[in-house]
Amino acid sequence: VSIGASPINHTHTPEELHVSREDHTHTPEELHVSPDGHTHLDLKNQSGVGFRNNFESGEVDLWVSNGESIAPMTSEQFSGSQSMYFTSNRTGLTPSSASASAYITIPEEVALVFAGKSIEVSVVAKAHPTASMTAPEFGVCYATNDVGNSGWVTFNPGAEWQKFSFNYLVPFPSNNGGGRDILGIWGDTSGSGLGVIIDCVIISLST
């Protein structure tokens, strides 16, 4: 995946991007997490979900590890049969190199619907039950193919499942293409080989 140069070249704080931090435990029903474990293109239902990945069978293979570690966790799932433990040994990742982290490609038909609109990017995450394996901070980045990205938005995982979200206005593609966007996850922004447990990612049109 080729990520073009972006005018955003630093890691963003939640305050810069108006990131919402939610500090209570969510149920699958609150998050509209489907029990069938499949990625959905569903832009018209009440939940407004445009894309999601629950790390179930057939969905994990859609992720590109890029040398990072993505390991299943069957004892720490929020919904479905498993979650995933993302770790990273990399430091200094720039937003324009989001594809250097673990990432998933957003289907082109979904990415083109997002173009020119504000989206909400959410991950359901928690700390590893073993404190010495938990990253104090992890990052999430929505990157377009050629016209910019959200920057790395960072979060601090807690002991309980939480939904971490931020909003991003997706630019229109340039004449050079577009529609091949990715979502990157940086499991440990310190690059210490620690990580975060993530159960699902959800991208929806902002309401």
Side-chain angles (χ1 to χ4, degrees), residues 14 16-20 117-122 142 150 153 155 164-170 204-207:
E16 288 179 306
L17 281 177
H18 306 290
V19 174
S20 64
K117 299 181 178 68
S118 178
I119 60 172
E120 181 180 82
V121 179
S122 300
Y142 186 99
S150 67
V153 184
F155 303 99
F164 299 97
S165 302
F166 66 90
N167 294 322
Y168 174 56
L169 179 59
V170 181
S204 58
L205 295 173
S206 299
T207 55

Side-chain angles (χ1 to χ4, degrees), residues 43-71:
L43 297 169
K44 296 180 180 179
N45 68 8
Q46 281 189 324
S47 67
V49 172
F51 173 84
R52 64 184 163 208
N53 185 283
N54 296 337
F55 301 106
E56 296 300 316
S57 177
E59 292 188 300
V60 175
D61 293 341
L62 300 174
W63 288 84
V64 178
S65 65
N66 247 341
E68 304 283 68
S69 174
I70 308 176

Side-chain angles (χ1 to χ4, degrees), residues 27-181:
T27 66
E29 289 73 22
E30 286 181 302
L31 294 173
H32 307 287
V33 175
S34 171
D36 63 10
H38 293 289
T39 301
H40 292 265
L41 170 59
D42 186 2
L43 297 169
K44 296 180 180 179
N45 68 8
Q46 281 189 324
S47 67
V49 172
F51 173 84
R52 64 184 163 208
N53 185 283
N54 296 337
F55 301 106
E56 296 300 316
S57 177
E59 292 188 300
V60 175
D61 293 341
L62 300 174
W63 288 84
V64 178
S65 65
N66 247 341
E68 304 283 68
S69 174
I70 308 176
M73 296 281 292
T74 57
S75 61
E76 292 289 333
Q77 70 272 27
F78 177 77
S79 66
S81 63
Q82 65 182 13
S83 57
M84 299 300 288
Y85 178 52
F86 286 76
T87 64
S88 178
N89 289 299
R90 293 186 174 132
T91 60
L93 288 182
T94 63
S96 60
S97 65
S99 61
S101 68
Y103 72 87
I104 189 169
T105 300
I106 310 302
E108 186 169 356
E109 69 271 21
V110 181
L112 290 174
V113 170
F114 290 161
K117 299 181 178 68
S118 178
I119 60 172
E120 181 180 82
V121 179
S122 300
V123 298
V124 179
K126 71 184 294 288
H128 194 284
T130 302
S132 62
M133 298 177 69
T134 293
E137 181 182 85
F138 70 97
V140 182
C141 178
Y142 186 99
T144 69
N145 185 56
D146 62 347
V147 288
N149 54 70
S150 67
W152 285 107
V153 184
T154 58
F155 303 99
N156 309 110
E160 303 296 329
W161 288 109
Q162 295 173 267
K163 185 179 80 168
F164 299 97
S165 302
F166 66 90
N167 294 322
Y168 174 56
L169 179 59
V170 181
F172 279 105
S174 71
N175 293 330
N176 296 323
R180 294 177 298 277
D181 301 354

